[in-house]
Amino acid sequence: MSEGNSTSPAGFRAAGLRVIRGEGQRREEPLASRDAVARVLMEAGADMLLRRITPARAGEIERKVDRILDLFDRVDAAPVLMPVLRRHLDELEALMRETREVRAARR
């Protein structure tokens, strides 16, 4: 890569990486997909490792995520189960809201 084509001030640009400007606030995304639910699990794991939540709470989140991911698969085969999946997603969203409040109080 030549320096003349670079977009960074120092003349260096890491391949495949770019900075996304945020507002300093994390946006809470609705739990509407498998990916969003998986991110909840990663968030809980990071919070547990950083001791912002207890292992018991992280375990509860993990159990709910496992159940929801299973329900996503079952809904693909039997769409009639969608209300059950929606109820479990709502419960996980409520648990995560509570978890984030607990985490914020510990800071």
Side-chain angles (χ1 to χ4, degrees):
M1 172 180 348
S2 70
E3 290 183 39
N5 294 336
S6 176
T7 59
S8 69
F12 175 77
R13 181 169 181 229
L17 298 177
R18 62 187 171 102
V19 174
I20 298 174
R21 302 272 179 216
E23 301 286 321
Q25 297 290 322
R26 181 167 180 218
R27 183 180 62 90
E28 303 301 333
E29 68 179 306
L31 298 180
S33 69
R34 288 174 176 90
D35 289 345
V37 172
R39 281 189 284 277
V40 163
L41 185 59
M42 288 182 267
E43 177 183 345
D47 284 343
M48 185 185 70
L49 288 172
L50 294 170
R51 299 178 190 261
R52 292 189 280 200
I53 64 172
T54 65
R57 183 172 290 268
E60 182 180 358
I61 293 167
E62 180 181 14
R63 283 187 296 281
K64 287 187 180 291
V65 165
D66 287 344
R67 175 76 173 131
I68 288 169
L69 292 176
D70 178 58
L71 278 168
F72 266 115
D73 292 340
R74 293 176 60 200
V75 164
D76 288 344
V80 71
L81 293 173
M82 190 59 174
V84 176
L85 174 60
R86 185 74 251 162
R87 183 173 40 89
H88 282 277
L89 287 168
D90 291 344
E91 289 173 4
L92 181 59
E93 283 182 343
L95 178 61
M96 289 309 295
R97 211 173 11 261
E98 178 185 302
T99 299
R100 290 174 183 127
E101 289 169 5
V102 168
R103 179 179 68 199
R106 287 187 168 193
R107 287 184 185 169

